[in-house]
């Protein structure tokens, strides 16, 4: 099985590569705009594998190297392309919305046009986001109306609509994924779960936007990767698949759980601050379609999963302790 993973240096992309490489028959091509990171942030580098036989990496940028990416794919001839490559942060997208549209929509358009003609491709799996739904009232299904409320969400919604035009007009083998709030070891340090752990270890207070009352559907990255692999292999072309837990939990509650697990007093180590612009109140999406079609289920509960993130930071503390804890934008 030959799989090309775009955005293989991302948190989600790297875990997906790691899962694919568990199969010794898999050949995986990773493409990202940045150089490969260390094993602190690339899970697939932490195992004793013959990576030179199973995995190859190319540093190419979706915005400036689209022709080279297509050439690379033509040489590799993957059966599956899974695209994690995106500008993905919400709040910073207000500062330079054109950068988010450039990567998430225009850059994608340059890739999809030639890729839509390639006969070697069985499925193109695109990683979208539930942010495209805006604030969710109740539990939403894959047929919910798009209602983005941030530039990031709007750029992802535009990309999704573009992909469906290629499906409708050229039978492009699209499978679309929308997963809820992923977390786990090796995640970017500015995300709320690893940042909370680092702040507690460093003696800093954790700011809770809007008091931390926004409800998120946190789900472990490996559960998501398993679902993405099932959708890649078995998903119906033209389908959207949700991957989510059974219910949501507030950011505040998650931080309380981390404090409790690490032996810190929640009230002494947190500070309520103003809500972020465009913050949606809830992401509770229905994943019954994937559960029915693939038999997929989340298998790692949040308390166990948080323990894994804490263990990762504890074990890699010398590598992590002096790294920046804020998002650094690269256009």
């Amino acid at each position: 099985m030959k799989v090309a993973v775009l955005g293989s240096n991302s948190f989600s992309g790297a875990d997906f590569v790691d899962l694919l490489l568990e199969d010794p028959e898999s050949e995986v091509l990773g493409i990202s705009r940045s150089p490969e990171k260390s094993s602190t942030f690339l899970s697939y580098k932490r195992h004793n594998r013959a990576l030179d036989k199973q995995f190859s990496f190319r540093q190419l940028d979706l915005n400036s190297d689209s022709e080279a990416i297509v050439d690379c794919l033509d040489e590799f001839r993957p059966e599956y392309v899974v695209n994690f490559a995106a500008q993905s942060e919400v709040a910073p997208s207000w500062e330079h919305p054109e950068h988010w549209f450039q990567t998430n929509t225009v850059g994608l358009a340059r890739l999809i046009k030639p890729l839509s003609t390639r006969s070697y491709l069985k499925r193109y799996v695109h990683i979208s986001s539930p942010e495209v739904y805006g604030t969710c009232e109740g539990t939403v299904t894959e047929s919910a109306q798009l209602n983005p409320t941030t530039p990031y969400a709007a750029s992802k919604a535009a990309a999704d609509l573009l992909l469906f035009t290629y499906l409708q007009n050229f039978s492009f083998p699209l499978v679309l994924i929308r997963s809820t709030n992923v977390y786990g070891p090796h995640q970017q340090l500015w995300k709320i779960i690893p940042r909370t752990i680092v702040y507690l270890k460093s003696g800093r207070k954790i700011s809770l936007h809007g008091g931390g009352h926004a409800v998120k559907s946190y789900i472990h990255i490996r559960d998501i990767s398993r679902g993405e692999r099932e959708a890649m292999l078995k998903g119906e072309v033209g389908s959207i698949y949700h991957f989510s837990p059974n219910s949501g939990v507030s950011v505040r509650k998650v931080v309380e759980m981390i404090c409790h697990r690490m032996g810190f007093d929640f009230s002494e180590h947190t500070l309520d601050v103003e809500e972020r612009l465009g913050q949606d109140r809830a992401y509770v999406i229905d994943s019954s379609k994937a559960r029915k079609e693939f038999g997929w289920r989340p298998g790692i509960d949040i308390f166990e999963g948080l323990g894994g993130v804490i263990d990762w930071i504890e074990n890699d503390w010398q590598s992590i302790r002096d790294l920046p804890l804020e998002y650094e934008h690269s256009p």
Side-chain angles (χ1 to χ4, degrees):
M1 179 174 68
K2 300 180 77 171
V3 185
V5 178
L6 308 184
S8 59
N9 278 355
S10 67
F11 169 53
S12 296
D15 191 79
F16 188 68
V17 168
D18 188 41
L19 179 63
L20 292 175
L21 292 177
E22 289 183 356
D23 177 2
E25 301 300 316
S26 292
E27 295 180 58
V28 182
L29 169 65
I31 297 175
S32 273
R33 70 174 182 173
S34 59
E36 279 190 287
K37 304 172 188 176
S38 72
S39 61
T40 298
F41 294 101
L42 293 182
S43 52
Y44 63 81
K45 285 190 168 186
R46 301 175 83 93
H47 305 286
N48 294 320
R49 292 175 174 148
L51 285 181
D52 57 331
K53 296 181 180 179
Q54 276 190 275
F55 180 75
S56 57
F57 174 78
R58 295 289 304 275
Q59 185 182 346
L60 296 168
D61 190 331
L62 186 63
N63 287 321
S64 57
D65 301 317
S66 58
E67 290 184 9
I69 292 174
V70 173
D71 289 344
C72 195
L73 294 174
D74 285 345
E75 180 181 353
F76 184 63
R77 297 182 65 83
E79 300 165 83
Y80 307 98
V81 171
V82 184
N83 190 359
F84 296 88
Q87 292 274 16
S88 61
E89 293 301 300
V90 175
S93 71
W94 290 102
E95 298 299 321
H96 293 285
E98 70 276 14
H99 295 167
W100 270 253
F101 276 86
Q102 178 62 46
T103 298
N104 296 347
T105 312
V106 178
L108 177 68
R110 292 196 186 101
L111 173 70
I112 294 306
K113 181 179 178 181
L115 202 57
S116 67
T117 67
R118 296 320 194 250
S119 60
Y120 55 74
L121 190 62
K122 287 184 179 179
R123 284 187 185 86
Y124 169 87
V125 181
H126 193 77
I127 310 304
S128 180
S129 168
E131 296 268 358
V132 300
Y133 298 128
T135 293
C136 301
E137 299 294 340
T139 302
V140 298
T141 67
E142 288 86 348
S143 61
Q145 182 177 352
L146 303 186
N147 184 33
T149 57
T150 66
Y152 162 67
S155 71
K156 293 294 285 184
D160 294 354
L161 293 173
L162 172 67
L163 288 166
F164 275 104
T165 66
Y166 277 87
L167 168 73
Q168 293 164 6
N169 291 283
F170 302 103
S171 299
F172 186 59
L174 170 68
V175 173
L176 198 76
I177 306 295
R178 292 178 182 145
S179 303
T180 51
N181 307 92
V182 295
Y183 75 96
H186 318 293
Q187 192 172 26
Q188 304 96 318
L189 296 179
W190 59 83
K191 296 291 188 177
I192 184 63
I193 289 174
R195 180 160 49 87
T196 294
I197 299 165
V198 173
Y199 272 32
L200 290 173
K201 286 181 63 65
S202 304
R204 300 171 64 179
K205 282 201 172 186
I206 302 135
S207 295
L208 296 175
H209 293 276
H213 295 294
V215 174
K216 308 288 185 180
S217 295
Y218 289 103
I219 188 166
H220 196 276
I221 183 59
R222 185 47 56 101
D223 283 333
I224 295 295
S225 292
R226 287 191 302 102
E228 290 162 344
R229 182 179 61 182
E230 291 298 297
M232 179 186 79
L233 296 172
K234 303 173 184 177
E236 181 181 355
V237 169
S239 284
I240 301 169
Y241 294 99
H242 287 170
F243 296 111
S244 66
N246 295 320
S247 60
V249 60
S250 71
V251 174
R252 189 179 192 89
K253 180 63 176 177
V254 169
V255 173
E256 284 180 348
M257 292 170 69
I258 295 170
C259 288
H260 174 73
R261 183 135 191 169
M262 295 180 68
F264 289 92
D265 183 270
F266 171 79
S267 61
E268 292 182 1
H269 291 85
T270 59
L271 179 67
D272 291 355
V273 298
E274 185 178 357
E275 186 58 275
R276 292 177 300 178
L277 180 64
Q279 172 64 55
D280 299 319
R281 292 189 299 276
Y283 299 108
V284 182
I285 63 175
D286 181 7
S287 57
S288 59
K289 181 178 178 180
R291 296 173 189 235
K292 181 178 180 180
E293 290 190 22
F294 311 141
W296 174 85
R297 296 287 188 281
I300 303 171
D301 70 57
I302 191 163
F303 198 70
E304 175 191 355
L306 291 175
V309 184
I310 293 168
D311 289 344
W312 161 58
I313 291 177
E314 294 280 8
N315 293 334
D316 284 48
W317 183 241
Q318 294 306 313
S319 300
I320 288 172
R321 61 184 304 169
D322 295 323
L323 294 176
L325 298 177
E326 302 299 329
Y327 172 74
E328 296 180 349
H329 176 57
S330 298

